[in-house]
Every structure is written in C-alpha cells, then in structure tokens.
Amino acid sequence: MLSIAIFLPVIAAAALLGFPKDRPQLARWTAVAVSLVPLGIIIAAWTMFKGGPGFELVESAPWITSIGVTYQVGVDGLSLPLLAMTALLFTLSMVFPADLRGKARQYYAAFLFLETASLGLFFALDLILFFVFFDLSLVGMYFLIAIWGHGDAQRSALKFFLYTLVGSLALLLGILGIYLNTSPRTFDMIEIIRTQPLPAAGLASTLIFWAIAIGFAIKAPLVPFHTWLPPAHVDAPAPASTILAGVLLKMGTYGFIRVLLQMMPGTFDRFALPLGIIAVVSIVYGALVAMAQTNLKRLIAYTSVNHMGYVILGVSVGAAFVGSDAARSLALTGATVEMVAHGLITGSMFLLSGSILARGHTYEMGEFGGLASRAPALTGAMMLAAFASLGLPGLAGFVAEFQIFAGTLGVFPWLAAIGLLGIVVTAALFLRMLQQVFLGPLPERWTGWTDLGWSEMVALTPALVLVVVIGVAPAWLVNVVNAFSRAVVGG
Amino acid sequence: MVRFLGDVLPELTLALGAIAIIFVALFTPRRFQAWIGAFAVAILAAAGFFAGQDLAGPSRLTFFDTLAIDGVGRWATLVLIVVTIFTVALSVEWFRSDARHGEYYAILLFGTLGAVLLAGASSLMEFIVAMLLSSVTGFTLAAFHRRSRNSSEAGMKYFLLGALANGTALYGVGFLFGLGGTTTLTGLRTGLVGADPLALIVGFGLVMIGVAFKLGAVPVHPWVPDVAEGAPAPVAPFLMIVGKVGAFVFLARLVMVIPDTALGWRPLTAILAAATMTLGNLAALWQTDVRRLLGWSAVSQAGYGLLAIVALGRSDLAIPSLLMFLVAYALATLAVFGVVVQLRGLTDRESYRGLAGPHPWLAAALAIGFLSFVGIPPLGGFAAKLLLMGAVIDAGYTWLAVVTVINSVISLFYYLRIIAPAYVDKHLAAQPVLDWRSGATVVVTAAGVILVGVIAQPLIGAWQLVHLLPG
C-alpha cells in the first residue's frame, strides 16, 4: 500500500507527458487528483498506526541483495507527520495557479516526479533507497527552477544543484562508511538502528558523522551552508518554493534525526554541543539577515534558515547525554513538530508571495503598501502565517518552538537564552513586513489590485486551518511524535 | 596446438569473420554493402554466443598460459561485442556513401578482436600483440574520413601518441621480463617476488604508460578529445569504450602479480586515478564543442574506473565495481554519442539549445547519459560509483573517494551546460536526423543505462562469483 503512494505519482507523471498539449487545465486537475491518492493512503496509515516505538506497516522486497540493499519502506512517529505534511503540500501546490510557460504537462509531471522522490525519502528504510530519493529530489527541483523560474533562474538552479550535490555526495560517503562497518554488510536502516554498528568514539565514527552531518546541513540548510537557498527561492516559481521550503529542507533535518541520532547516538552526543551552537548561530544570523531584506521572498527564505536552526537545536538537545530525559524528548518532539509547522506556515507564505508576484510583478516590499484595503483575504492569510511563523501562542509555530526552548533550557540553558533572541527579531521583521506591504496608504498604481482567486483560496485554506488546529489542539500530532521521541531518548 | 582452438572460439569467430568480410566486400557492389553490416552483426552474435558459453565453464589458462579464459575476461568480451553491435547500428547509414563501406566492418571487427585479446591476455607478449592490433585498427578508424581535415588530424595525433606509448610499454615489458625471467603472468607472480622494488615500479610504470594510453588516462590521454572530435562520429564511442574495456581487465590481471610493496602499484594507480579524473573534468569545463567535451569527460571516466584497480585484492567489491563501471560507461557513452550521430554529427554547443522541443527523446537520452556519468541514482553510473567508492574506502583509500566526490560535482557543472539549454531555451529549428538504426541505438542504450542501475542485482550477483586469472 505504501509503495502505491510512492510510485503512483511518478507513473502518472509519465502518463501526463502523453496528454494533449493544449489542455493545461486537464493536466493540472489530473495531477491534483493523482496526488490525493498518496494523501489518502497516508491518512489511512495514520489511523492504522499503533504508536509503538518501532517501524510499522513495513513493506520489503529484495533489491540488490548481494551488497545488502533492500527495497524497504515503513512509517513511525517521526515520518508519519512529515509524510502527511508532504502529501498535503504537494496537492496544494498543484492546485495553486502557476505561470506554466506553455508547458503544462511537463510542469505537472515534474511536480509528480518530485512527489515520488519526497514521499519515498520519508518512507525509505534502506540507506541506499533513501539516498536514491534524496538525489532524485535534486533533479526534480532543478528542472522546476530552471524551466519555470524567473530572474536568473538557470544560475540559481545550477547553484542549488551543485551545492546540494556536494552535500548528497558527502552523505553517500558517510553511508558507505556506515555500510562498511556493519556485519554482515547491510544498508537496512532498521537493522543498523538495532545493532548500532559504530562505536561512540574513534576517528572512523567522527569522519562518518561529519560527512553525513555536512550533507544534511547543506540540505537543511544550516549556516554557513545556506548560501544556495536565497537565490533558489527567489527565482523559483511560488509552488516550487513551497515544496523546496516545506518538504526538501525537511529532508536534511529528518536525516539528522533518522540517520545521525538513531544510528550513531554515541557519536552525536560528542558533537551535540557544537551542533547546538551552530544551530543557534543559524537562528540569530538567519533572523538578522531576514530583517535586512527588502525583497519579500528573500525575507521568507532567510526566516527558513532561522527556523531550521530551531529544529537542529531541538535535535542537538535530544542527542546530548546530559540533562533530564524528559527535557530531551520534549526538545526532540518540538523539533519534529516544528518541521511540520514550518512546512505548513512557510509553504503558505511562499504561495502568498506568488500571489503578490502574479499581481504586482515584483517582490520589493517598498513598492507596496495598503494592500489590506484592496485584498482582505490575502492580507488575512499572510497575517495568520506571519503570526504563526513568529511563534504567537495558539498557532502551530508556538507549540513547536515552546517545546524546543523548554527542552533546551533543561539541557543547554544559555543556548536557549541566546536562541530566544531569534524569536524577538523574527517578530520585529514580520511586523515590519506586514506594515510595509499591507498597511499604510495604497499607492496609486495598485488601485486595481484583486484579492485571492478561488483556486488560491482552495490551496491556502487547508494549510492555514491546520496551522490553527495544531496551535489550539496539538495533542493528536504531539502524541504520535512523542511515542517516537520517548523511544529514542527515553523519558 | 589444435586442441586449444576450442578455447578461443569467440576470438576465432571474430578473426575469421573479419577476413570473410574483406572477401565479401571485394566482390560486392557498393549499393549492397549496407548488408555487410548485418553480416557483421551475425558474426558478432556468434562470437557472443561462444563467449556466453564460457561463462558457465571452468576458468582456465590456455595457449601455454598466454591467454586467460575466465569470468571477468568473458564478461568483458560480451560487453565489447555488444558495443560493437551498437557501433554497427550507428554506422550503416553514416558510411552508406563511403567507397570503403564494406572494409570498414572488417577493421571494426579486428579492433574488437584486439580489445578481446587484451582483456584475455595473461602474458606480456600477448599484451603487446593485442595492444598493437587494437591500436592499429584504432588509428585507421579514427582517420577513416581521409578527406576530412579533422579526421586525419585525429588519426595522426592518435597514431603518434600511440606509437610512443606502445614503444614505452614494450620497453617496460622488457624490464619486467628481465626482473621476472618470464613473460607469462603466472610465471611473473613467483618470478617477481624479491625483485628490487625500484626496478619493479619502473618496469610497471613503463607498462602502465601503454595501458594508460588505451584507457585514455594521464599522461597519455591527449588523443582522447581529438579523436572524440575528429573521428567519424559512430567510431568515436567505439574508440572511447573498447580500449578501456580491454585495458582495464588486463591491468587488473597485471597488478595482481606485481608484489604489493609500500612504494608499489597501488599508490601509483591511486595517484594516476586522481590526476586523470581531475584533469579530465577541469579540461571539460569550458568546452564549447560537445564532442570535445565528451572526449574530456571520457578521460575523467577513466580515472573513476581506476578506483576499482586500486581496490583489487583488498575489497570484494573491486571486481563487481569494475564490471559495473565498464557496463554503465559503455551504455551511457553509446547513448550520448548516439545522439550526436543521430543529429548527423552536430557538435556546436549552441546547436543543442532547445533540443527538447523538437527532439524530446534525444534530449532525454542526453540527460540520462550525462546524469549517469555524474552518478545520479538510480542510473547505471550511480551503481558503478557506489561500488567503486565503496571498494576504495574498503581498501583504505578514503581520500580517493573524496577526490571522486569533488570531481563528480565539477562534472555536473559542464554536463548541465549542455542539458540546461537543451531543456530551458526556446528551440531554434528541428535538426535533421540520420536514420532509425541510430535512433534505436540511442533509445535502447539509454534505457539500458536506467535498467542496469535499477535492476543491478542479477549483474552484481553474477560478478561477485567470477574469477580473475591469474589473481
């Protein structure tokens, strides 16, 4: 069943290429309909999920058995929320209108291809399978940016591909390192997590840890490996930005938990503090640089650097062998919830920035003002997303950040103190952005500004409703994640 | 002597077949000569059938220990035969109006025979004979369009460098013969024990020059871009591939009999690998001629393949990684050069802009071939790189894996300089294409690149069991 969720989109992508050329709406709604299937399957998997410490609904088939590669997929409390978020975001991004450049079939085929890669990655329980999907996501996103992007799209796409390929190859070296230390040799993630083949100390473990950590840090991205992100976001089409921020960045943070924390916890403990410090630098630096932006999309892009910093901070706290287990598992749960929350919140914000670009043909915030009077729905949606992003209680971001910081206080109190600065700066920059774009006098040229269309509404509503639901009643999500966090760190 | 003939049925078939083609071509009117292509394919299929039979049989040395009949050699033979069949498919239409259309196939088959013998050589003299047969046919093929300035120039450069490299290798053979007292590899295995390490490495280094020439590796690589650019388009992939297949297998046999000392063949090969891939990639970066770019990329690929040699004897992944590399490299090279042939030799980078519009299949094949060269999963090149890097890390050469990673990233840059405009830019005019045979070659080999990556198990499973004599 899970395999259908993974491969149906790519099969549909191939079929889509054979569609008639002049029916863009047909391609669009076919793609949306197809993407509802994985979403349904994942919701079904959620209802079947028992919440145990291990992997459930595992499907496995021999693949390259002679070197220990198996086709193996399954879910647990970490992957399930991410999968649900991923499947939802793909549907919403395809509902959202886009500038298709007369290549509708190819555009939606690329999206569906990318959906297979993204879902496959979070489902994968074999390191090679994981890596295959990791790399395929690069290829899919590269073409989405290069062909349907704007500005200097080719250059940004190339930069994105090159940077993250460096990361993925470092990751591959690390994966090979883990593989060569298993006996009998295997890439089976369940088996590696169970047997813990790598010792906590030693040069080999250290090298493998950092190879993988750099791979995921580039993808996440963590300062100083974030430089590919702003141009890629600014030049990507809005729905692709949503996927890039909402889903692709999570591959990095998910990897930190799944591979580094679960497969080599002893080694992670040794480097938990340094990584926590890098995370805090990302938080503060990301927020400050976002503050300095005049380009709306760059601003949102830099807040992603800041938010991924929160996630890695939570993971590092979860990995440190100091402090109480309760605090550590709280931080790890918070990190996972933050991944979901950020996907929904920032995903929506990128869609909204796409709406603004489609109407105003620029991202420069100085060009706007007073849009609230012309577009109440657009304004309301952006305000909700911005408040959620800056961590207002009652919204999804707060639930996540509260848990991360509460956990961090119990383990590295001074890191939490510095990290909180990030929240203050984020609050300031979002308020300023709202004020610049939506409040104040309306410039003459925007008097004809239109509010959100129906398909934009349809795309945004589910994500924003979920942001509120998670903020108000987070138990259904937090409990699932908690089962996982407790199993990993105890407590 | 006669009792050995059963051991070399594939070689015999190729040799007799090539001779038969010369006679047929002499007496056939030119307008029927395209059929000689079909005849050549039949000969190749027969040779392939005999080689396939050997896969099940026992590994053995034959002709007084000068030829090895083993799994690795026979797999290489099969790869060579398949490559030649595809080369024929690319050639029929291309050479249709050539006055020497029929003889062309005879030379092609002799070239294949040279590479097959190289892959089976288990004696230094046999190595020299195979090298010369493979080289001489190669020079001829590169310069086959004798009225084309590029073609003649490619043949000339190829020849001059080849003469130098072959001479050097002969010198090295003399050295090793002097040290070990014999030219058979089985004899050298015992004969070289206790030899002066410095003399040993000099002798090995000199032979290595000859091998590196066939591989297209540093320092005797400069012929590769020239041949890729100047040789007749269907011949170029053949020359990039067959030398590598033959020489890699011979090199694997050779290093296994050279004592593994501190200053031995392993570090030397590792340095050569690093230098080859780095130079090839850096030189390819700013090429504006697609065929030259492919030539430099072939140089860098030779460097990746050398990883398998470095790991030989220290990792069980070495032999599967070598064969996987050769298969993936051969298929991807045929696919991308097949695109060039199908576009009637189109080579300017600018002419590939917007290719995906009028020719979606060709653009897809180009992208698949290139991404396989980079090592993007799940293509064949990824499986190859996975095994190669696993093998060298296993062998204690992690730094070489890191160098490979850096090189893969560099290579992505120049491949994308072709792929990106092909997909992103507005297309100019549809380019005229050659014929269905080369079109089919492109599609089949590109599909093969995907297939060997996705369903690698039967191949890797088979290669883990094969023997390498004397090893």
Side-chain angles (χ1 to χ4, degrees), chain B residues 136-183:
Chain B
V136 169
T137 50
F139 306 149
T140 319
L141 288 171
F144 208 76
H145 290 328
R146 55 186 162 175
R147 290 207 185 82
S148 147
R149 236 186 105 227
N150 276 349
S151 186
S152 314
E153 191 183 321
M156 187 58 76
K157 280 196 185 162
Y158 193 19
F159 170 71
L160 286 176
L161 208 62
L164 184 75
N166 286 332
T168 313
L170 196 55
Y171 200 68
V173 166
F175 233 96
L176 291 181
F177 173 59
L179 287 169
T182 171
T183 56

Side-chain angles (χ1 to χ4, degrees), chain B residues 36-48:
Chain B
I36 297 179
F39 181 43
V41 170
I43 294 165
L44 287 160

Side-chain angles (χ1 to χ4, degrees), chain A residues 61-71 126 128-129 179 186-187, chain B residues 386:
Chain A
W63 186 14
I64 311 174
T65 44
S66 46
I67 52 165
V69 180
T70 41
Y71 170 81
D126 178 279
I128 289 300
L129 190 63
Y179 168 73
T186 181
F187 289 105
Chain B
L386 175 72

Side-chain angles (χ1 to χ4, degrees), chain A residues 63-67 103 128 131-132 135-136 139 142-143 146-147 154 158 161-162 165-166 169-170 172-173 176 179-180 185, chain B residues 317 374 376-378 382 386-387 389-390 393-394 401-402 405 408-409 412-413 416 420 423-425 454 456-457 460-461 464:
Chain A
W63 186 14
I64 311 174
T65 44
S66 46
I67 52 165
K103 294 179 186 169
I128 289 300
F131 183 80
V132 167
D135 255 16
L136 285 180
V139 179
Y142 170 79
F143 282 110
I147 302 180
Q154 276 200 51
L158 178 66
F161 203 161
L162 286 179
L165 185 73
V166 174
L169 288 171
L172 182 61
L173 287 183
L176 282 169
Y179 168 73
L180 293 171
R185 286 183 179 171
Chain B
L317 296 175
V374 179
I376 301 285
F382 166 69
L386 175 72
L387 292 169
M389 297 206 295
I393 296 175
D394 208 12
V402 174
V405 162
S408 302
V409 175
L412 176 70
F413 175 78
L416 283 184
Y423 275 93
V424 175
D425 291 354
V454 174
Q457 169 56 29
I460 296 178
Q464 279 187 324

Side-chain angles (χ1 to χ4, degrees), chain A residues 126-193:
Chain A
D126 178 279
L127 284 172
I128 289 300
L129 190 63
F130 176 88
F131 183 80
V132 167
F133 289 127
F134 193 90
D135 255 16
L136 285 180
S137 73
L138 304 188
V139 179
M141 185 51 80
Y142 170 79
F143 282 110
L144 274 175
I145 300 177
I147 302 180
W148 290 280
H150 31 72
D152 201 354
Q154 276 200 51
R155 194 187 164 82
S156 302
L158 178 66
K159 195 171 181 186
F160 158 78
F161 203 161
L162 286 179
Y163 273 59
T164 45
L165 185 73
V166 174
S168 89
L169 288 171
L171 170 65
L172 182 61
L173 287 183
I175 288 176
L176 282 169
I178 295 180
Y179 168 73
L180 293 171
N181 278 290
T182 54
S183 158
R185 286 183 179 171
T186 181
F187 289 105
D188 181 341
M189 287 158 83
I190 301 179
E191 190 63 17
I192 295 169
I193 290 170

Side-chain angles (χ1 to χ4, degrees), chain B residues 47-62:
Chain B
F49 173 76
F50 292 131
Q53 301 272 299
D54 280 335
L55 283 178
S59 296
R60 59 204 182 273
L61 293 169
T62 187

Side-chain angles (χ1 to χ4, degrees), chain A residues 107-403:
Chain A
Y107 174 84
Y108 290 106
F111 256 99
L112 289 171
F113 174 82
L114 194 55
E115 178 165 15
T116 285
S118 307
L119 293 175
L121 180 123
F122 294 122
F123 272 127
L125 293 179
D126 178 279
L127 284 172
I128 289 300
L129 190 63
F130 176 88
F131 183 80
V132 167
F133 289 127
F134 193 90
D135 255 16
L136 285 180
S137 73
L138 304 188
V139 179
M141 185 51 80
Y142 170 79
F143 282 110
L144 274 175
I145 300 177
I147 302 180
W148 290 280
H150 31 72
D152 201 354
Q154 276 200 51
R155 194 187 164 82
S156 302
L158 178 66
K159 195 171 181 186
F160 158 78
F161 203 161
L162 286 179
Y163 273 59
T164 45
L165 185 73
V166 174
S168 89
L169 288 171
L171 170 65
L172 182 61
L173 287 183
I175 288 176
L176 282 169
I178 295 180
Y179 168 73
L180 293 171
N181 278 290
T182 54
S183 158
R185 286 183 179 171
T186 181
F187 289 105
D188 181 341
M189 287 158 83
I190 301 179
E191 190 63 17
I192 295 169
I193 290 170
R194 192 177 64 78
T195 53
Q196 301 281 324
L198 287 157
L203 180 66
S205 296
T206 304
L207 288 177
I208 292 170
F209 179 87
W210 281 106
I212 297 176
I214 288 174
F216 288 137
I218 292 176
K219 189 88 178 179
L222 217 51
V223 172
F225 302 114
H226 65 286
T227 47
W228 62 266
L229 180 98
H233 266 310
V234 171
D235 294 340
S241 290
T242 297
I243 297 301
L244 182 56
V247 178
L248 265 61
L249 303 192
K250 306 307 181 300
M251 295 177 177
T253 50
Y254 170 81
F256 265 97
I257 302 178
R258 180 67 86 216
V259 179
L260 291 176
L261 181 55
Q262 285 198 273
M263 295 182 192
M264 38 198 325
T267 317
F268 202 152
D269 166 53
R270 286 166 54 213
F271 301 113
L273 184 58
L275 265 172
I277 293 170
I278 297 173
V280 169
V281 172
S282 272
I283 291 173
V284 177
Y285 176 86
L288 288 175
V289 178
M291 181 96 172
Q293 299 306 319
T294 57
N295 178 309
L296 175 64
K297 216 170 178 191
R298 271 186 104 81
L299 177 145
I300 306 174
Y302 271 108
T303 62
S304 288
V305 176
N306 157 278
H307 281 85
M308 290 302 104
Y310 295 145
V311 177
I312 300 297
L313 180 61
V315 178
S316 305
V317 169
F321 288 174
V322 290
S324 77
D325 285 348
R328 292 169 52 218
S329 97
L330 187 65
L332 190 57
T333 303
T336 309
V337 175
E338 174 77 50
M339 287 194 240
V340 176
H342 176 262
L344 297 170
I345 297 167
T346 307
S348 312
M349 283 186 149
F350 275 124
L351 289 183
L352 286 164
S353 73
S355 299
I356 292 176
L357 181 76
R359 290 163 177 77
H361 307 289
T362 177
Y363 288 127
E364 284 303 316
M365 292 184 289
E367 303 273 317
F368 298 107
L371 293 184
S373 61
R374 300 291 315 159
L378 174 69
T379 311
M382 187 62 109
M383 281 197 170
L384 181 61
F387 283 129
S389 188
L390 61 80
L392 196 76
L395 299 171
F398 173 76
V399 178
E401 281 153 38
F402 176 78
Q403 293 186 79

